Amino acid sequence: MALIQKSPSTQHRALWVEVKVFLSLKDISKADSARKMGTKGKVIKCKAAIAWEADKPLSIEEVEVAPPKAHEVRIQIIATSICHTDANNIDPKFEKALFPVILGHECAGIVESVGPGVTNFKAGDKVIPFFAPQCKKCKFCLSPLTNLCGKLRNFKNPTIDQELMDDKTSRFTCKGKPIYHFMGVSSFSQYTVVSDINLAKIDDDANLERVCLFGCGFSSGYGAAINTAKVTPGSTCAVFGLGGVGLPAVIGCKIAGASRIIAVDINSEKFAKAKALGATDCLNPRDLDKPIQEVIIELTNGGVDFALDCAGGSQTMRAALDSTIVGWGSCTVVGVKVGDKGLDLSPIELIMGRTINGTLFGGWKSVDSVPKLVTDYKNKKFDLDALVTHTLPFDKINEAFDLMNQGKSIRTVLTF
């Protein structure tokens, strides 16, 4: 019998397939174990990280998670990641924050049970929850001009919206006290309950430790370039901030066909990754002898066509807007900085042809778009592995926050 020797590249691909299948089976095994315990319709006691007050580490506690009510789904979280929005909510500068709360909004999991009236999901489905609902019925969902949904109410402070379920009660209890939900997700809990319009079913073979990034960061940055800025082939772009939102924005600019992508960050250690993902130039404002916008204008003979602010704060917004070319330059705001007073803007800046806009969840209509993003990832349209710098057990959640706040991580994925 003839023996066929595989090439190293073939062996590598085969090994990667085996790893993905193993991860997928591991996810399903965890959920199967829970279902065999007969938890449907019962209160589940599990582990969660609670923010009891601002400026304090999260506390790992045992919580009680009530069964889902009408049009709700209870999910076992398999993987969740840390986002600056979570940190913003416990920043003492954010005076409107609600406590106690279970934070977390970027995750993926498996359906444990569904409430009455739920028809699109069943126990065992792999799913991604998100803070941007899509009811498909309201005037916003029916409009092609926006991805907002009428379920959202607090447009001035969206991070404290969806703090309770639709009946104005919480599904979480700890030490006899009700605990607030966070942005309709609350993924820093082994189990959570979400509305069925804040959820998308994804392929059974999806790697939840990677596709969890579609719950916020990747979708927001990538979509900012593709959907909101609408970066065009051959254009020039500047991306401010190279974290879990900014690097996906770089990916989006490259996929859209930008000819030059200038990546800006005060941490030069991120530049190698930015270049690997498509950046053509990298600039650290702290290494320059003049304002960053002046340098970009000189490099591009007048300014870039598109600037994306993925860092937030009035200083960065100003630099991003100023770095765009007069006549048609576009600045898209993605990042938010707690306690910032915002941008001072003169009408003449807009009269001269520049435009400024913002984006929520990258402009994606969530329920429709997230499964397609998962398919694109599986088809290798973009690489999520480059964005996950750390994987830690859930109990080390405060260490994950430290890594993010110190600029040592892009995305840390926590597993239960």
Side-chain angles (χ1 to χ4, degrees):
M1 176 170 52
L3 295 176
I4 301 175
Q5 185 173 354
K6 294 182 179 179
S7 67
S9 60
T10 304
Q11 290 175 336
H12 178 76
R13 286 195 298 270
L15 177 61
W16 176 233
V17 169
E18 289 175 8
V19 169
K20 288 200 291 186
V21 170
F22 172 75
L23 287 170
S24 181
L25 291 174
K26 184 177 71 171
D27 294 338
I28 293 171
S29 175
K30 288 180 181 179
D32 281 344
S33 298
R35 287 197 298 276
K36 287 175 183 177
M37 293 169 61
T39 52
K40 182 179 179 180
K42 300 178 182 178
V43 171
I44 292 178
K45 292 184 178 181
C46 67
K47 184 189 305 182
I50 295 180
W52 291 102
E53 56 183 308
D55 208 26
K56 299 287 184 182
L58 303 187
S59 178
I60 303 292
E61 308 276 7
E62 182 181 79
V63 299
E64 295 180 340
V65 185
K69 295 186 180 182
H71 295 287
E72 296 176 0
V73 180
R74 187 161 61 182
I75 303 164
Q76 181 182 6
I77 301 298
I78 301 299
T80 183
S81 43
I82 306 290
C83 173
H84 277 288
T85 302
D86 300 309
N88 288 348
N89 205 72
I90 53 177
D91 189 316
K93 296 176 185 175
F94 184 43
E95 299 175 354
K96 296 184 182 294
L98 301 171
F99 296 102
V101 62
I102 295 176
L103 300 171
H105 61 288
E106 188 175 279
C107 65
I110 297 175
V111 173
E112 176 270 338
S113 62
V114 302
V118 175
T119 58
N120 295 331
F121 305 97
K122 65 182 186 303
D125 285 346
K126 283 191 174 184
V127 289
I128 295 177
F130 27 74
F131 62 89
Q134 185 189 358
C135 73
K136 301 190 178 184
K137 298 177 182 178
C138 70
K139 65 180 180 181
F140 297 104
C141 285
L142 294 175
S143 170
L145 303 176
T146 183
N147 68 323
L148 295 181
C149 174
K151 180 187 176 184
L152 298 174
R153 292 287 183 268
N154 196 336
F155 293 112
K156 290 188 177 180
N157 291 289
T159 61
I160 56 172
D161 205 348
Q162 304 180 89
E163 77 283 10
L164 296 171
M165 301 305 290
D166 286 346
D167 65 355
K168 303 303 178 186
T169 65
S170 174
R171 300 295 169 266
F172 297 112
T173 306
C174 182
K175 301 176 182 178
K177 298 179 179 179
I179 308 297
Y180 281 112
H181 293 246
F182 183 63
M183 299 178 72
V185 180
S186 289
S187 62
F188 294 167
S189 174
Q190 194 170 3
Y191 287 85
T192 189
V193 177
V194 305
S195 168
D196 62 358
I197 63 172
N198 289 67
L199 194 64
K201 183 182 183 301
I202 59 173
D203 294 337
D204 288 339
D205 60 349
N207 177 1
L208 301 186
E209 292 184 19
R210 290 296 178 267
V211 300
C212 62
L213 302 190
F214 292 131
C216 178
F218 185 92
S219 300
S220 297
Y222 179 68
I226 298 292
N227 298 326
T228 308
K230 293 181 172 61
V231 172
T232 53
S235 62
T236 54
C237 302
V239 177
F240 291 75
L242 301 177
V245 175
L247 288 175
V250 170
I251 294 172
C253 291
K254 181 181 179 182
I255 287 177
S259 62
R260 192 170 190 180
I261 304 169
I262 301 171
V264 180
D265 202 286
I266 57 173
N267 183 354
S268 299
E269 292 182 1
K270 296 180 179 180
F271 290 167
K273 195 175 289 288
K275 286 194 172 181
L277 294 173
T280 55
D281 308 78
C282 294
L283 299 174
N284 186 332
R286 293 179 176 175
D287 295 339
L288 306 175
D289 58 5
K290 61 177 68 174
I292 182 69
Q293 51 264 57
E294 292 183 17
V295 174
I296 291 175
I297 287 171
E298 290 177 3
L299 286 173
T300 56
N301 190 29
V304 292
D305 302 308
F306 302 95
L308 297 99
D309 171 19
C310 301
S314 55
Q315 187 175 358
T316 310
M317 281 193 286
R318 168 50 59 193
L321 181 61
D322 287 351
S323 71
T324 62
I325 191 166
V326 297
W328 63 80
S330 168
C331 175
T332 298
V333 177
V334 194
V336 177
K337 188 175 182 180
V338 173
D340 191 80
K341 294 181 179 179
L343 180 64
D344 244 348
L345 192 62
S346 165
I348 195 69
E349 297 179 80
L350 303 182
I351 289 171
M352 296 307 293
R354 289 187 173 114
T355 59
I356 185 168
N357 56 25
T359 185
L360 179 81
F361 199 60
W364 302 105
K365 286 188 180 286
S366 54
V367 174
D368 293 337
S369 301
V370 167
K372 296 175 184 177
L373 289 171
V374 172
T375 299
D376 285 344
Y377 165 64
K378 288 171 54 183
N379 291 336
K380 303 187 185 307
K381 187 172 183 178
F382 37 70
D383 180 19
L384 297 179
D385 293 339
L387 304 176
V388 179
T389 53
H390 299 77
T391 301
L392 296 173
F394 181 73
D395 289 348
K396 293 190 176 182
I397 188 169
N398 288 308
E399 182 179 325
F401 271 91
D402 290 340
L403 288 167
M404 179 181 68
N405 293 330
Q406 294 165 10
K408 295 180 179 179
S409 66
I410 302 299
R411 274 297 190 262
T412 297
V413 171
L414 302 171
T415 58
F416 288 92

